[in-house]
Amino acid sequence: MLRAESADLFEMRVRPLLAAKCFACHTDARMGELQLDTREHFLKGGKSGAVVVPGHPEKSLLLHALQYSDDRLKMPPSGKLKDDEIEAVSSWIASGAVWPENVKIAAASEYVITAKQRAFWAFQPVQAPKVPQVRNRKWASSDIDRFVLARLEEKSLGPVRSASKRTLIRRATFDLSGLPPTPEEVTAFEQDKSAGAFAKVVDRLLASPRYGERWGRIWLDVARYSDDRLNSERDDPYENSFRYRDWVIQAFQDDMPFDVFVKAQIAGDLIPNPEKYQAGLGFYAMSPEMQDDRVDATTRGFLGLTVACAQCHNHKYDPIPTRDYYSLLGIFRNTEIHEIPLAAKDVVDKYDGQKKKIEKQETAIADFVKAQGQQLAEVLASRTAKYMLAAAGVGGQAGPKLDAETLTRVTKYLDDPKKNHPYLKPWLAERAREADAGTLTKTAEAFESLLLAANAEKKRIDDENHIRLGLNPSREDLSKANLVSMDRDKFVLWEDLFGAKGVYRYGDAQIDRFLSAEFQEYLGGMRSQLASLKKELPPQYPFLHAIRDKEKLAEQHVWIRGSEDAPGEPAPPHFLTILSPSQPPKFTRGAGRLELAEAVVSKSNPLTARVIVNRVWQQHFGHGIVRTASNFGAQGEPPSNPELLDYLARRFMAEGWSIKKLHRELMLTSVYALSSDNAEANFAQDPEDRLFWRFDRHRLDAESMRDSLLFVSGKLDEKREGPAVAFTKDNYRRTVYGAVSRRRLDPMLALFDFPNPNSTSERRLQTTVPLQKLFLMNSDFVMEQSQALTHRIESKAPSEDARIREAYRIVFQREPTPQERQMGAEFLKHSPWPEYAQVLLSSNEFGYVN
């Protein structure tokens, strides 16, 4: 992870957690001598030493405390954080634990946007720049070329030579389809000498169904698409996730205007003809469900702003007050997950009715088992002293009246000296000094009495709180219920013995042997009835994962320091202040999603068109005109050619927000047709090619790598749409149709830099590590494609030399040189054809685009 991305993670996820969960005890109070409000204090640590080892979560005390894996230290004491919150801290530590200088955790304050802040380039209206004059008129074939060339000529630089036709068609085919061209397509283009030869190639590729698959997948990076929920404990798939994915692919294939595409994902249920657009609501419905996620995905994805950095303080760098963040958060908190059926009403009613019966029966079973388990736990607890003495080996206590499994559990519990309560210290001390049986008996009986008293107190407190909650049943009044709480140490003791995973607690699969015959028969009957109900359940009808406005809308407040328990001033729903000409008006229609969508795609909004044309440019040229594609703020990079960016944004809106027209305009330029050659003078002044004087060579992304291996081997299954397919050895579908997991990303995808689907991603990283080459050398998948490629070649060419030539045509779309033919023949004298095919598939020429 880049340092800038680690800083973003701190701003959006870690800082709010520290403010909400650690601020009370670890700022001025300095409990444990630990203060967590500034970088200096954080690095100093507390009385236990440093709390973090940057780059090593597994060695960091902070993470152990949050995971509750350290028996001495479990933080926060009010309860363990959610899995995604702990994962955010772990990722932040792993990426270096970046805490920007001079950043202090503090409450929000009144915010006034200055004229200087409004003058920042990204917040200025999209201009209509004059096309510049250039000296090298022969090279510039379009206005885009003139904008690029003018910047080069300002530096006394010039573009390198043009790429060969083979290189150009290979580049274009990967860009628009994610696959290599066929040898026949390359030959046809090389032989076409007409002026519009390349335009025909681009038009053919844009019309191909492979285009939607390629560019749909690119958008899914931004949408943090996944086929399962964020669940660290078990696989938790979305039943119909693929319907959003397929909708996105088809939207690109149909060239849905981008402004409509955006509106559909924010408010597809609220615009005309919702049946065409409401599948887009999967953008939110399949969210990782983190507090800031929907605001972050909306503002980074569509606007290129890191608004989620303002959730516990005014944005450190950009003119975004905390109030603006909560005005957007309130919109999404006033929505709920909703399934939109794609079946007739009678089919839906039949399924839902049977499902409710099943859920009711499951609840009845769970309630019965819980009640019996609680009673059993109390019975077993009343014999705690005997179990303790038996565990200690005190004579005569391990008789037939003690349950063997329970004795094993008690023994294991007592043998572990690490406890989060002090009540076993006397017992452990007596055991350590090998006290006599009488002393041990007294100590065990005292612990038993304490345990039974704690259980009685827990029941009394639960009853009292039940009464208080009965008077204040709604969630908004929960904070006013004045609930009673148990002493922390006594609660830990109760949880250890009586809790859901307690020593004396037996669950559904374990409790039967303790029940009487009548109770066993009753429980067995309930289970049989449940099995019958499940058997009668019809197949799940198809539906869309969507969201809808809640019936009862709640007023959103600013949360002081990001804590829901500390509400501040009201934050009514409205658009970002910096993108409004004056104080933004309050959204008044429902939760405000439609008004938000309209504001996002308004032509007066200077960001949306700039952000998307920059994303498309980035895909074609390797990096954007703005290199931080999801951050157009002060911490992002400024545009290398602001006039070109505005020219493209204005043209894009004028051309009906058409992505396909934008592709065509970008690709039919001289700058797109440049070679990847180096030029020393250019490199000396612009080593990162920010001015686009050459084409940047790059490695195939994970999908293109896998799909290309299948394509050249002849095994690619081009079936479109449908449920996600696991990446098994029998899966030959395009990678876009493979299952993407938030819990366990496929190893090949991860190895080749597939993005983390838990957050919106602005671009693919380009790592080069030995494991990538080792994968190509040792993977069963690659070996299988090498074998298939061998069969394909042998079926087409009779002689060995002809097979070498055919291999080069298929894999590289060119003829081998005489030297390559000779080298191939020499290799094949000592090695079989599949190994030779694997060498070709593992080569840089196959895995890189020039």
Side-chain angles (χ1 to χ4, degrees):
M1 184 181 291
L2 301 179
R3 181 177 176 84
E5 292 170 337
S6 180
D8 285 347
L9 184 58
F10 171 80
E11 290 289 344
M12 291 190 302
R13 305 299 314 285
V14 177
R15 189 210 288 244
L17 278 176
L18 295 176
K21 303 296 184 180
C22 310
F23 200 90
C25 299
H26 295 295
T27 50
D28 296 337
R30 298 185 68 244
M31 294 184 67
E33 299 179 15
L34 178 63
Q35 194 166 349
L36 292 176
D37 57 348
T38 67
R39 180 174 181 271
E40 179 185 3
H41 293 150
F42 166 73
L43 293 175
K44 183 179 179 181
K47 68 179 181 181
S48 298
V51 294
V52 159
V53 181
H56 298 280
E58 74 284 354
K59 299 179 182 177
S60 298
L61 182 61
L62 174 62
L63 190 64
H64 292 311
L66 298 181
Q67 292 173 330
Y68 279 35
S69 59
D70 186 319
D71 289 324
R72 298 180 301 104
L73 195 63
K74 294 185 178 183
M75 293 293 165
S78 57
K80 188 177 178 182
L81 297 180
K82 297 177 182 178
D83 289 344
D84 62 274
E85 294 173 328
I86 296 172
E87 177 59 30
V89 176
S90 178
S91 297
W92 173 65
I93 296 172
S95 62
V98 172
W99 186 314
E101 297 277 0
N102 303 319
V103 171
K104 181 174 182 179
I105 299 175
S109 59
E110 196 60 37
Y111 194 94
V112 177
I113 296 176
T114 66
K116 181 179 178 181
Q117 289 172 320
R118 287 195 176 275
F120 185 69
W121 74 266
F123 307 133
Q124 292 299 298
V126 175
Q127 303 298 316
K130 183 180 179 181
V131 179
Q133 297 295 315
V134 294
R135 293 190 294 274
N136 188 356
R137 296 180 183 179
K138 184 178 179 181
W139 179 83
S141 62
S142 69
D143 287 346
I144 293 172
D145 292 329
R146 294 179 184 91
F147 279 106
V148 171
L149 186 58
R151 293 303 305 275
L152 288 170
E153 290 181 343
E154 285 176 12
K155 305 288 186 181
S156 299
L157 305 177
V160 297
R161 68 179 178 88
S162 297
S164 68
K165 294 189 79 171
R166 169 190 168 270
T167 297
L168 185 58
I169 189 175
R170 192 169 187 271
R171 178 187 302 170
T173 308
F174 272 115
D175 269 5
L176 293 182
S177 75
L179 292 169
T182 65
E184 294 76 19
E185 289 167 346
V186 174
T187 299
F189 178 53
E190 289 178 328
Q191 293 176 352
D192 188 345
K193 306 302 182 184
S194 66
F198 187 56
K200 287 187 280 187
V201 169
V202 172
D203 290 341
R204 171 177 57 80
L205 291 169
L206 289 173
S208 166
R210 294 170 179 166
Y211 163 78
E213 294 169 336
R214 171 65 174 167
W215 279 82
R217 179 56 256 182
I218 290 168
W219 179 257
L220 294 177
D221 282 9
V222 178
R224 74 267 186 259
Y225 171 79
S226 173
D227 293 295
D228 63 6
R229 297 169 180 83
L230 181 58
N231 190 327
S232 64
E233 297 181 353
R234 61 182 175 85
D235 293 334
D236 193 4
Y238 292 107
E239 295 87 344
N240 285 260
S241 57
F242 67 94
R243 300 187 189 280
Y244 171 70
R245 175 248 288 154
D246 289 348
W247 178 85
V248 168
I249 290 172
Q250 195 60 47
F252 275 93
Q253 193 64 45
D254 295 341
D255 198 23
M256 180 183 291
F258 187 74
D259 58 340
V260 177
F261 180 70
V262 171
K263 289 178 69 174
Q265 291 174 91
I266 300 175
D269 56 329
L270 303 176
I271 59 181
N273 302 314
E275 63 279 356
K276 291 175 58 178
Y277 303 114
Q278 56 196 8
L281 295 171
F283 183 87
Y284 296 121
M286 295 184 292
S287 157
E289 297 182 23
M290 303 168 187
Q291 173 178 300
D292 64 334
D293 170 73
R294 292 180 179 178
V295 173
D296 186 48
T298 302
T299 55
R300 279 183 187 262
F302 303 133
L303 301 172
L305 291 178
T306 57
V307 174
C309 292
Q311 64 179 288
C312 66
H313 54 89
N314 295 324
H315 200 290
K316 179 69 177 176
Y317 307 106
D318 297 330
I320 303 170
T322 306
R323 182 179 57 254
D324 277 9
Y325 167 78
Y326 285 101
S327 73
L328 297 183
L329 181 67
I331 294 172
F332 298 114
R333 284 175 58 81
N334 274 317
T335 67
E336 60 188 5
I337 298 296
H338 174 51
E339 295 177 0
I340 300 177
L342 300 176
K345 186 177 184 302
D346 61 328
V347 174
V348 174
D349 290 346
K350 183 177 180 181
Y351 178 88
D352 288 350
Q354 190 69 8
K355 187 75 172 174
K356 287 179 181 177
K357 292 178 183 178
I358 291 171
E359 291 170 352
K360 182 178 180 182
Q361 188 69 2
E362 287 174 335
T363 300
I365 292 173
D367 289 346
F368 177 80
V369 170
K370 181 179 179 181
Q372 298 307 311
Q374 179 62 30
Q375 288 187 6
L376 174 62
E378 292 176 2
V379 170
L380 295 173
S382 69
R383 313 191 71 192
T384 294
K386 292 187 177 182
Y387 278 109
M388 292 174 70
L389 293 170
V394 176
Q397 297 300 328
K401 293 185 178 180
L402 294 183
D403 179 67
E405 182 181 351
T406 305
L407 178 57
T408 300
R409 290 184 176 196
V410 171
T411 303
K412 182 179 179 181
Y413 180 70
L414 296 175
D415 285 346
D416 183 0
K418 295 179 180 178
K419 295 286 179 289
N420 288 312
H421 62 76
Y423 303 119
L424 275 172
K425 287 182 178 179
W427 170 261
L428 295 173
E430 299 295 354
R431 287 288 307 277
R433 72 180 187 86
E434 299 181 353
D436 58 65
T439 302
L440 286 176
T441 299
K442 270 189 183 179
T443 307
E445 289 174 346
F447 178 77
E448 178 184 301
S449 297
L450 179 69
L451 176 62
L452 296 177
N455 186 49
E457 182 180 351
K458 177 70 164 57
K459 291 170 72 174
R460 178 185 61 76
I461 287 175
D462 286 349
D463 287 343
E464 186 171 345
N465 283 337
H466 179 73
I467 294 171
R468 295 184 181 214
L469 286 173
L471 300 175
N472 296 279
S474 69
R475 196 183 190 293
E476 63 180 299
D477 289 331
L478 192 58
S479 61
K480 305 173 187 176
N482 194 23
L483 301 181
V484 184
S485 62
M486 196 173 182
D487 174 79
R488 183 255 182 205
D489 287 343
K490 286 185 180 178
F491 176 78
V492 171
L493 172 67
W494 183 91
E495 187 74 15
D496 282 356
L497 280 298
F498 291 97
K501 297 181 180 179
V503 172
Y504 291 143
R505 181 61 71 126
Y506 286 85
D508 191 17
Q510 307 160 320
I511 201 169
D512 293 48
R513 64 188 180 84
F514 293 99
L515 300 178
S516 66
E518 290 83 358
F519 275 37
Q520 286 190 35
E521 183 179 355
Y522 176 72
L523 180 57
M526 294 177 76
R527 289 169 176 159
S528 296
Q529 188 178 353
L530 176 62
S532 297
L533 290 170
K534 287 183 175 181
K535 189 175 181 180
E536 295 167 6
L537 181 69
Q540 168 75 69
Y541 54 83
F543 63 87
L544 300 175
H545 293 283
I547 59 171
R548 65 182 175 189
D549 291 357
K550 292 180 178 177
E551 288 188 13
K552 183 179 180 182
L553 302 180
E555 183 181 46
Q556 178 67 45
H557 290 254
V558 171
W559 295 345
I560 305 300
R561 304 188 193 100
S563 172
E564 187 176 357
D565 296 327
E569 62 177 323
H574 60 69
F575 198 42
L576 298 178
T577 306
I578 189 60
L579 298 181
S580 306
S582 57
Q583 191 63 30
K586 177 182 176 182
F587 294 157
T588 58
R589 288 176 278 170
R593 282 187 294 121
L594 183 56
E595 290 158 290
L596 173 62
E598 290 168 343
V600 168
V601 300
S602 168
K603 289 186 177 181
S604 64
N605 171 11
L607 284 175
T608 303
R610 282 177 176 146
V611 168
I612 187 57
V613 299
N614 187 68
R615 290 194 193 281
V616 177
W617 181 282
Q618 173 179 265
Q619 287 299 131
H620 285 308
F621 294 93
H623 59 270
I625 300 170
V626 178
R627 287 205 167 196
T628 49
S630 290
N631 188 353
F632 278 39
Q635 285 297 98
E637 293 198 20
S640 60
N641 196 324
E643 295 81 10
L644 173 58
L645 182 63
D646 275 15
Y647 170 85
L648 293 172
R650 181 170 284 271
R651 288 270 300 169
F652 181 63
M653 290 187 284
E655 291 290 333
W657 300 76
S658 168
I659 297 288
K660 284 191 174 183
K661 287 181 181 179
L662 178 61
H663 286 306
R664 204 173 189 279
E665 189 162 6
L666 296 182
M667 296 174 74
L668 299 181
T669 59
S670 297
V671 65
Y672 183 77
L674 290 173
S675 71
S676 57
D677 291 355
N678 190 28
E680 290 186 9
N682 291 3
F683 187 82
Q685 287 198 52
D686 182 20
E688 295 183 330
D689 189 32
R690 291 172 182 261
L691 300 180
F692 305 102
W693 50 268
R694 70 174 179 191
F695 185 85
D696 284 349
R697 184 171 181 261
H698 60 271
R699 198 196 65 226
L700 296 179
D701 57 40
E703 297 96 323
S704 295
M705 174 65 75
R706 180 179 175 276
D707 292 351
S708 295
L709 287 167
L710 290 167
F711 183 74
V712 299
S713 72
K715 301 205 69 166
L716 183 65
D717 178 357
E718 298 192 43
K719 178 185 175 184
R720 303 186 66 213
E721 303 182 336
V725 184
F727 285 104
T728 62
K729 64 183 183 64
D730 299 322
N731 177 6
Y732 303 126
R733 300 280 304 279
R734 289 204 70 174
T735 308
V736 70
Y737 299 117
V740 176
S741 173
R742 291 196 168 106
R743 183 177 181 225
R744 292 179 297 187
L745 193 61
D746 176 75
M748 178 186 172
L749 297 185
L751 181 60
F752 287 94
D753 303 314
F754 191 87
N756 181 348
N758 289 317
S759 59
T760 179
S761 176
E762 66 177 33
R763 65 186 177 91
R764 297 291 178 91
L765 297 176
Q766 282 277 320
T767 64
T768 303
V769 296
L771 285 177
Q772 292 164 350
K773 279 297 181 187
L774 289 172
F775 172 84
L776 294 170
M777 291 170 61
N778 301 310
S779 161
D780 290 341
F781 174 76
V782 177
M783 292 179 185
E784 181 188 351
Q785 306 323 310
S786 302
Q787 188 73 50
L789 175 59
T790 298
H791 292 323
R792 181 182 178 189
I793 292 168
E794 288 176 344
S795 68
K796 288 190 173 187
S799 69
E800 190 166 273
D801 183 65
R803 289 172 186 168
I804 292 173
R805 295 178 65 181
E806 183 65 17
Y808 269 75
R809 289 182 71 247
I810 292 173
V811 177
F812 304 131
Q813 301 90 49
R814 67 175 176 84
E815 287 287 329
T817 65
Q819 183 182 13
E820 287 168 336
R821 288 162 63 185
Q822 182 181 353
M823 289 172 62
E826 287 293 325
F827 184 93
L828 289 165
K829 288 180 181 178
H830 309 286
S831 303
W833 253 96
E835 288 188 15
Y836 179 62
Q838 188 175 0
V839 169
L840 299 182
L841 296 177
S842 302
S843 66
N844 282 351
E845 184 173 355
F846 178 76
Y848 280 77
V849 177
N850 288 323

